[in-house]
Amino acid sequence: MNKLHAAVAGLGFMGGAHIEALRRIDIDVIGCLGTTPEGSQAGAQQYGLSRGYSSFDELAADPDVDVVHICTPNYLHYAMCKGAILAGKHVICEKPLAVSSAQSAQLTRLAAERGIVDAVNYNMRFYPLCQEGHDRIQAGEIGEVRIIHGHYLQDWLFFPTDWNWRLEPEQGGALRAVADIGTHWLDMVIWLSGLRITAVMADLATLIPTRYKPAGSVETFANKLGVDSEAQEVPIATEDYATIMLRFSNGARGVVTLSQVSAGHKNQFEWEVNGSVASLRWAQEEPNHLWLGHRDQPNGVLIKDPSLMHESARSTASYPGGHAEGYPDTFKQLFRKVYGYIEAEDFSAPRPFPTFADGHQEMLLCDAILQSSQQGQWVEVPAV
Ligand code: SOE
């Protein structure tokens, strides 16, 4: 197969992370798309790319592009994914896949019909010790899964003057913390456990009901660097906080708390699985440690060391024990799996990465969570 070429739509926090990770696996990023043609040209110059596209249509029509990375605000994902698929391109889309389950259902169906390789960037799965946790759970080493719990806490939207496009439903969708960081956590625990979430009971809250929108656009997390004196007062309806109780397909129970206004937590994604034999816990701010919990022997901590890891998990660790691997490495490892799959050219083989079907399952969960929070009762979650 000829060397694969990628193009990246969206040049914010995620677009930059995608370009950097692609270069680390020797994928040729040939072009990019910004919010304006001038922005595309500036991005191409900043990243040393040969093409800055004037429109998404021009990007999708480029015969030299094999894979399109969608790193734009959520409201643009559907049209861009659809355009890329119809142009015969493989697609890696940032999460969440869309702003509704109707859109994600259509994209999942279209990708399958057109035989393209589709992926959603639930990159957190690709921390080496999340892979190890998955392999241990799937090998039965902690016994029957009984309880899955944790949280995903941030503080980048802590001040009323903190602003981001996700605050506005027109750009991010009806749900914010749930769609943004909640789907990361839910995707992780579904994948780790191999279970379905069959029902949810959700409590959501907008704890900062009025915020101050700056005059210009603000890149994700960049808001923490300064305040705009021209800011406009805006009422906020999307949630800062959620606690969601969970029921799983084997009868297991769970709960997760999400927040983007918890001072002191920068990107604190944590999961714990309690089994009938042992427990596992992992925290994203200390990603090279996996906690091993026991009733009948001392607890332990596995420090990321490929020589001590399951064979499958070992394939996602590039450095030896004691050499930390972190957030940027997860993009590299996910993209390695996707591009390796494309290069193998057997598209009927199982896909060792999150696909549009996984992204659609997350949108169905978002529907159920929103309905539960509005009705104050348990809501069943349909399977994909
Ligand atoms: C903001 O919550 C954000 O950038 C998410 O959108 C990313 O998916 C996560 O990896 C880091 O935080």
Side-chain angles (χ1 to χ4, degrees):
M1 167 178 268
N2 296 329
K3 187 178 172 72
L4 292 169
H5 300 107
V8 176
L11 293 172
F13 172 35
M14 283 299 132
H18 281 233
I19 292 170
E20 177 189 83
L22 285 165
R23 285 181 160 161
R24 293 179 66 193
I25 57 172
D26 194 30
I27 295 296
D28 189 6
V29 184
I30 60 175
C32 65
L33 178 72
T35 52
T36 63
E38 296 75 20
S40 298
Q41 292 305 322
Q45 186 171 6
Q46 175 187 354
Y47 291 107
L49 311 181
S50 59
R51 304 168 201 182
Y53 300 101
S54 60
S55 68
F56 182 79
D57 289 346
E58 184 189 4
L59 184 160
D62 187 339
D64 296 330
V65 172
D66 304 295
V67 186
V68 180
H69 290 242
I70 310 291
C71 302
T72 52
N74 302 346
Y75 77 104
L76 294 171
H77 289 183
Y78 172 73
M80 290 186 171
C81 285
K82 184 175 182 182
I85 294 166
L86 294 177
K89 312 298 187 186
H90 303 300
V91 181
I92 298 177
C93 184
E94 266 299 326
K95 31 55 59 184
L97 176 57
V99 293
S100 74
S101 56
Q103 288 182 347
S104 54
Q106 284 186 46
L107 291 175
T108 304
R109 190 164 45 247
L110 185 62
E113 287 168 359
R114 295 300 178 103
I116 63 106
V117 176
D118 54 279
V120 181
N121 189 43
Y122 283 113
N123 59 298
M124 301 290 194
R125 294 188 188 184
F126 287 86
Y127 281 97
L129 289 182
C130 288
Q131 295 281 321
E132 177 66 11
H134 169 270
D135 291 357
R136 291 187 177 213
I137 294 169
Q138 294 306 310
E141 293 180 22
I142 69 166
E144 176 75 10
V145 171
R146 288 173 169 163
I147 308 169
I148 304 177
H149 54 101
H151 54 253
Y152 195 158
L153 309 174
Q154 301 172 321
D155 67 7
W156 66 293
L157 292 175
F158 179 76
F159 292 118
T161 49
D162 290 330
W163 187 265
N164 181 259
W165 55 263
R166 292 177 180 80
L167 288 160
E168 295 185 304
E170 300 78 25
Q171 295 208 44
L175 293 173
R176 173 177 23 113
V178 171
D180 183 24
I181 55 178
T183 61
H184 262 308
W185 194 92
L186 295 167
D187 170 76
M188 174 73 81
V189 300
I190 291 169
W191 169 72
L192 282 171
S193 65
L195 299 170
R196 276 191 59 244
I197 294 172
T198 57
V200 294
M201 175 70 176
D203 179 36
L204 277 53
T206 302
L207 302 172
I208 302 177
T210 301
R211 290 181 181 265
Y212 299 90
K213 181 178 181 179
S217 66
V218 179
E219 183 181 312
T220 302
F221 285 120
N223 56 290
K224 298 173 81 171
L225 304 176
V227 176
D228 182 304
S229 59
E230 303 291 313
Q232 168 200 356
E233 186 173 298
V234 177
I236 300 298
T238 52
E239 80 287 358
D240 300 302
Y241 158 89
T243 286
I244 307 162
M245 290 194 292
L246 308 164
R247 288 176 180 166
F248 293 88
S249 48
N250 72 336
R253 294 295 198 267
V255 62
V256 59
T257 294
L258 311 170
S259 163
Q260 295 179 314
V261 295
S262 294
H265 295 289
K266 306 311 170 183
N267 201 41
Q268 180 57 8
F269 178 135
E270 183 167 337
W271 56 259
E272 180 169 329
V273 181
N274 302 134
S276 58
V277 169
S279 298
L280 293 177
R281 184 175 74 233
W282 176 84
Q284 199 263 174
E285 289 183 351
E286 297 176 13
N288 293 281
H289 291 177
L290 182 66
W291 178 81
L292 316 171
H294 302 287
R295 160 65 187 268
D296 52 2
Q297 59 179 289
N299 295 338
V301 173
L302 171 66
I303 297 174
K304 189 267 303 182
D305 181 339
S307 68
L308 302 177
M309 292 164 61
H310 283 241
E311 183 179 354
S312 172
R314 191 178 307 136
S315 72
T316 64
S318 298
Y319 293 85
H323 298 72
E325 296 181 72
Y327 185 77
D329 300 286
T330 64
F331 290 76
K332 179 188 90 171
Q333 298 297 351
L334 190 154
F335 298 163
R336 275 183 62 216
K337 295 292 187 184
V338 177
Y339 281 81
Y341 185 88
I342 296 170
E343 287 162 354
E345 295 188 299
D346 175 8
F347 297 172
S348 63
R351 300 186 176 192
F353 48 82
T355 65
F356 278 15
D358 297 305
H360 177 48
Q361 180 65 77
E362 293 304 311
M363 296 313 298
L364 292 172
L365 277 161
C366 286
D367 288 349
I369 289 164
L370 181 58
Q371 182 184 340
S372 173
S373 70
Q374 291 168 339
Q375 297 176 355
Q377 62 188 27
W378 283 93
V379 172
E380 302 288 318
V381 181
V384 171

